[in-house]
Every structure is written in C-alpha cells, then in structure tokens.
Amino acid sequence: MIPQQNESVVGIDIGSRSIELVVLDSGGPVRQVKVPTTFDPLGQCRKLMEWTGGMRVVATGYGRKLFAESFRLEKVSAITEIQAYALGTRYLHPEAKIVLDIGGQDTKVISLSDTGKVVKFEMNDRCAAGTGKFLEFMATALQVPLEEFGGFALGSDRRVQISSMCTVFAESEATSLMARGERPENIAMGLHAAIVQRTAAMLRRVGISTPLVFAGGVAHNLCVRQLLEEELRQPVIVPENPDMVGALGAALYGRNLDRSET
Amino acid sequence: MKLEILKHFEDIGERFLLDISELDGTDTKVAGIYCLFAPTELVRAAGAIPVSLCGKREKPIADAEETLPPNLCPLIKSSYGYAVTNTCPFFAESDFLIGETTCDGKKKMYEFLGRIKPLHLMHLPYSTTEPHAISFWRDEILRLGRFLEESTGQKIDRDHLRFQIRIHNRIRKLLERIARFQAAEHAPLSGLTMMTVMESKSFFVYPEKYLDMLGEFIAEMESVAASGFSPFEPDAPRVLLTGCPLGKGSEKVLRIIEESGGAVVCMENCTGVKGLDLLVDEEEKDPFLALARRYLQIPCSCTTPNIGRINLLDRLISQYRIDAVVDLTWHCCHTYNIESRVVGDFVEGREVPFLHVETNYSTSDVEQLRTRIEAFLEMAGCRSNVRFANSRLN
Ligand code: SF4
Ligand code: SF4
C-alpha cells in the first residue's frame, strides 16, 4: 500500500500484451508494476487502480480510450503512445534524439527535437511483422521460451536468410529450413536479423540520428540489440526498464498537467 | 448549430431520385459518371443528366472480389460491386456510363462494367500541358459528344453548350465561395458537414434550382460566419485533407481527425475543392477546345508530372491557414501512394507537419488510425487532451 500523496500521479500503459503502471511523486518513480493484459484489460486495470484513489491518472497505449471512458474519475486523461514514449525517454535520457519502441503489437520510431518535442514519427501497426508478436510466434515454433530467444539466437554459427516478414510465411520458411536440417539457433538468428533489417529501414525513413534509445518489451532481447548496433553502426541505449517508458511518460504528462493547473 | 438548409444537402440524393422518377416516360437519359474528368457541361448539353456512381461503401466489395482481385483500390471495387449487384439506385437509374482511362485499376475495371451497361470510355492523356495532349483530349471530347448524341437522340447545339458552360462555371464559383467560409479564423462548419455540402455537386437534376440552393446557403452562411460561430475548439489545429476521394460511407479518416480534435477546414481532393478554381473559358470561340483545356488542368495524380496539385496545395495552405496536412491514400492506389512522397516533401518544406495514411473502407484499423492521427495532432500542437482533462475537472 502506498501512502497517498497529493503530488503523486499515475501513468498506465495499456498494451496488447501487458499493462504497465508507474506511480510518480516529486522525486521520481516510486512504484512500477507490470501485469499481463489478458482478455479482460479493464478488469486488470481495475485491480491496478484500486489503491490509486484521488491521484491523477494518465492512460496511454491502445486501451487508453476504453480506460478513459470506463474510469470516469475526475482526473483521468489519455495521450498516445507516441507522446508517452517521447516524454518518458526525454526524462530518462534527455540527450536522446530518436526513440525506437518495439512492443507486442507494433513498432514505432519517434524523432525528437533538442527540446524533446516529437518532430516526426513512423508506426508499423498493420500486422505482427517485425513486432514482439512475431518473435513470440517464432520462439514458440522453435520451442524456445520467449525470454531466452535472443540468447538462443546468439548461439548460432551461421546466419540463414529469412525472406518473409509475414508471421505466417516466416513460420513455414523456418519449418522448411528445419526440415533441411538447419540448426534451430541459426534459424533463430535469421529471424532476428529479419526483424532488425525491417526496423532499420523504418529508422532510416524517419532519419537516423544519435543517441538512439531502444524501448518497449523487445528491447529486453539481447540479439535484437546487438544486431541493431551492428546494422546501424552506432550504440543503442536501452533504459533499465524498457517496457515502463510509456507508463512513465504518461505519468510525466500528468505531472505537467497538475503543475499547469496550480 | 444546425442550419435548416443543411437538410436539403443531406437529402439531395433522395431529391435527385424523386426528380428523376418524375421524368420517367420522357426521353431524358441519365449518364453515370465516375470521375472529375467527365465533362458534365457536354453531358447536359446533350440533354442527359450526369450523376456520380463512385462507390464509397464497404458493403458491395465482397461481391466485386468475385471478379476483381482483392488487392485493388476499394473505390474501384465498391463502384463495381454496386453495379454487379445492382444495389445502387443511381446506377439503376443510369442509362449509360462514362469512364476515363485515369488509373490502371479503373480503366481495366471499366472493361467489366461495360458488360453491364453501355459504357463510353474517354482516353485521357497523361500530360496536361503538351499541345498535342490538348488536341487529343479535344478529340476525345468530340468523340464523347457523338456518343452522347447517339445515346440521347439529341444534337449538341454549340450555343446550348456555351450556356451550360456558363452555368457550370457559376456552380463552381458558388461552391468555391462556400468552401472559403472555412478559411475564416472561426470555421463555421465541421469538415464532415462541408463534405455533405460539397458532395451535392454530383446529384442534381436541375442546374438552375441547384444554383438557387447554393445561393440561399451562402446567404445563411454569411450570418453564421458573422456570428463567429464555429463547431471547433478555438485552438484546434487546422487540417488540410488531401489525396484520394472520399465521401459519405468512406469518411473514416476525416471523422477520426475531427474526433481527435482536429479541424478539417479544407479538403483538396475531388470531393473537396479540387477543380473549383478551374473555370472553362467562356470567351473561347471553340467551346470544345475550352473544355479540353479546362479539364486537362485537373490536378489528379493520374497525370504526370502533377505540378498542379502542388500549386493548389501551396495556395490552400496559405489561404486556409493550415497547421497540418493529412494525405489519404486508398490501399493499392499507386498514383496517390507514390505521389505522397512528392507532396510530403513539399509540405514539410513549408514547415507544415505532414501525415500520410493508407487505408481502405473497412473499420478494422480504426483504432490504429486513431493512434496515428492523435499522435500527429499532438505533434502539430493539438491540446485536446489538456482540454479533455480540464473538462473533467469543471
Ligand atoms: S482522383 Fe483523379 S481519377 Fe479519381 S475521381 Fe479524382 S480526378 Fe478522377
Ligand atoms: S483512388 Fe486511386 S486507384 Fe482508386 S480509383 Fe482513384 S486513382 Fe484509381
């Protein structure tokens, strides 16, 4: 139980796979929680919200509208993930010029101005190709736990070419490679490389600059990180809790609202 | 604020069908058209009544896909779907159809459409400025004239054509004036309402009555504008919507922009102001040449290079004091899709935020589009979320 502080604000990021919640007080984040979205995102939110009474809440993520409409609290508002990730990244890494967020269901690239404003952004939100969902499918196909998939791929001795980015076709491509006796580690590496290539193309469309911050759940994946650094020939900064950046940004937005009202 | 007169615009389709039914038993023919390139003055000069058959709903698409490939622009599939299922009352009323060789999808679709009803295809040159393109297009207009004369049994009289040219110019001028109300600091109409008003231009039987209706509307709008009324929040970003045509049934993107706090004060597309500033030269001795010159200037992405669109956008951005531009491309519309890059470079060069969205008529991507558009408006300086939060506090 958190002692109720008036200056506390809550940011909640309702994604397709998980819901993250950050409580912020004047000193910074004081609590960070992550729960699976399940088929009842509102029920999950309700549980998380039980002890936040009275605090300002800012929602982001694909469930933000549903949230804002269902919790008709006094101090509820909603912002897009783009803005949330921009704000969160700016707070953690004020020097960041470009943010890459690969989440469960979409990929975003956001370029920031010197003052941290969104200058341009790109989203892949049409299909699972190149997102966390893609990795999840492929890990399942290769029977590797998702959390270990990156490390597993790094055990490869050769990179096989995977040409399909469609989740369904890539799976059948992987299956036929396995049937030809290819090592599963090498196939995993090929799949990771395919994601990274696609992501790099998106980064180039927005315009690559440095420093680059890599956030979202997929940033936990070591292989994606490493390949991305190789492909872009520049270091990639991963925040300590890469999947909390959206919720943090939402909370920061709420804090600014509170300040502008007093 | 709800203007009584808006009802006339909302009901214009019904009105059209009623007026047409009263002409049953006469020789009057209805010409189904699909594009801004169809010279309606000529159609009227031959005594026929043009009506737009452009498909704007998802519903008939599945039936169209029995013949047409699924990876085709929804506008083409919807238009064909309505025809093949005979579920569009305007299609049912049409005695013959007029198409143009604009984009590849449409031009090949017309081959199938021609199996359902008599179809005259106009061959459109892709250059709009070359002298031989203009003379070629003039020939095509003459060829359409002969088709119309045969279909209606009525000779095209040059003086009557000149009369129709004057009427159509007047219609364009009045529509342009209506659109201009939105250039004011307090735009008096929502983009959705303006779309309904603008769509009326393809659904009238009697041009003189239509002119009166537009005139009355302008008079009413003047008092609304004078009152300073606007449906938008004072700080709503002023959005210009450009790209593929949209209308009632396919207004998804327009709706999301306005639901997200944007004010669509201008639409550059064919439903909006495209072509309203292009008048037919009334002084030109050869009315066919005058028509050819005017119609070839339509800044459609099917022509190349399409400088006219950039010039038009340039003017509209200043005139309507635009804060952000959204470019809509229907899935598989290659010409608008490719041209989006040209438009984007130009708009961003003017330091106006630019967003390209590609979608179709289905509602499956509404939430993704919403995120994209909301984020874009946030970026363009929309403060709707702050308002949203504040309104909860009041
Ligand atoms: S966009 Fe081009 S092809 Fe389509 S209706 Fe307009 S002028 Fe015709
Ligand atoms: S939107 Fe594009 S593809 Fe569709 S009919 Fe118009 S020009 Fe052709």
Side-chain angles (χ1 to χ4, degrees), chain A residues 16-33:
Chain A
S16 62
R17 277 187 48 80
S18 59
I19 302 174
E20 289 87 15
L21 180 137
V22 168
V23 182
L24 196 70
D25 74 7
S26 45
V30 288
R31 183 171 170 157
Q32 316 203 17
V33 195

Side-chain angles (χ1 to χ4, degrees), chain A residues 64-65 68 72-83 118-121 123 125 253 257 261, chain B residues 331 348 355 358 367-376 378-379 385-386 388-390 392-393:
Chain A
R64 67 189 182 284
K65 278 269 135 61
R72 294 197 164 271
L73 306 170
E74 264 193 359
K75 295 182 170 185
V76 173
S77 41
I79 59 171
T80 64
E81 300 95 289
I82 307 284
Q83 206 186 5
V118 178
V119 183
K120 206 172 171 181
F121 67 90
M123 286 174 84
D125 50 19
Y253 181 84
L257 279 183
E261 273 164 24
Chain B
H331 274 171
E348 284 176 351
L355 179 74
E358 225 189 312
E367 290 314 312
Q368 281 99 324
L369 281 175
R370 197 184 299 286
T371 299
R372 203 178 270 254
I373 288 169
E374 258 180 44
F376 174 67
E378 280 169 357
M379 184 180 95
N385 286 301
V386 179
F388 177 60
N390 288 341
R392 289 256 185 272
L393 290 171

Side-chain angles (χ1 to χ4, degrees), chain A residues 173-240:
Chain A
E173 214 176 327
T175 315
S176 61
L177 282 166
M178 269 194 283
R180 268 190 267 143
E182 189 59 74
R183 285 182 67 211
E185 288 87 344
N186 296 349
I187 300 171
M189 179 51 106
L191 291 164
H192 279 77
I195 283 208
V196 168
Q197 245 153 44
R198 195 187 161 104
T199 308
M202 211 165 141
L203 280 161
R204 291 196 182 100
R205 270 201 302 278
V206 176
I208 295 193
S209 48
T210 180
L212 182 147
V213 170
F214 180 16
V218 174
H220 286 293
N221 183 305
L222 275 180
C223 184
V224 174
R225 270 149 84 162
Q226 198 172 314
L227 292 181
L228 207 56
E229 291 191 329
E230 275 171 32
E231 173 78 29
L232 303 174
R233 293 200 192 88
Q234 71 177 58
V236 164
I237 304 166
V238 177
E240 203 180 316

Side-chain angles (χ1 to χ4, degrees), chain B residues 34-37 54 75 100 102-103 106 243-245 270 274 298 300-302 336:
Chain B
Y34 290 89
C35 172
L36 222 52
F37 280 107
C54 187
L75 193 155
E100 299 78 18
T102 46
C103 63
K106 248 185 182 175
C244 296
C270 292
K274 200 194 286 282
I298 293 171
C300 171
S301 69
C302 294
Y336 275 101

